[in-house]
Amino acid sequence: MAVQLPVIASRVGGIPEVVDDGETGFLSEVGDVDKMAEDAVKLLTDPALRREMGKHARESAVSRYRTDIVIPQYIEFYNSVLAKKGK
């Protein structure tokens, strides 16, 4: 996503929290390789769609996962864990 490429992935674990189906990539049910193949063909044969979804993927990655956003969250979490441990 950070390199402006849409994602094709299974709807499993935390992936649906990161990939917005139809906007930053395509999500499929686990094992639905036919749909994943169709999604790949869509992206490979439609450069405008690929660029647009890639643009949205980059915007999402940068706005949600920049180091200046994520690192303070980790520090806050670690500090809260350490504070609880000291009690």
Side-chain angles (χ1 to χ4, degrees):
M1 290 175 59
V3 294
Q4 295 188 18
L5 291 175
V7 175
I8 297 173
S10 295
R11 206 180 292 280
V12 64
I15 293 175
E17 295 172 18
V18 177
V19 178
D20 299 316
D21 190 31
E23 187 174 333
T24 63
F26 291 113
L27 295 175
S28 301
E29 297 307 315
V30 174
D32 192 349
V33 294
D34 291 333
K35 181 181 177 304
M36 294 175 103
E38 290 170 14
D39 293 339
V41 169
K42 273 187 220 176
L43 291 173
L44 291 170
T45 58
D46 189 340
L49 175 65
R50 188 173 61 246
R51 277 191 301 274
E52 187 66 20
M53 289 182 82
K55 181 180 135 193
H56 289 297
R58 169 74 181 171
E59 290 167 356
S60 177
V62 169
S63 69
R64 294 158 111 179
Y65 305 108
R66 290 188 328 255
T67 56
D68 62 318
I69 293 172
V70 174
I71 290 173
Q73 291 173 350
Y74 276 114
I75 291 170
E76 182 180 333
F77 173 74
Y78 292 143
N79 285 336
S80 71
V81 169
L82 291 172
K84 290 178 185 176
K85 188 176 180 181
K87 291 184 177 183

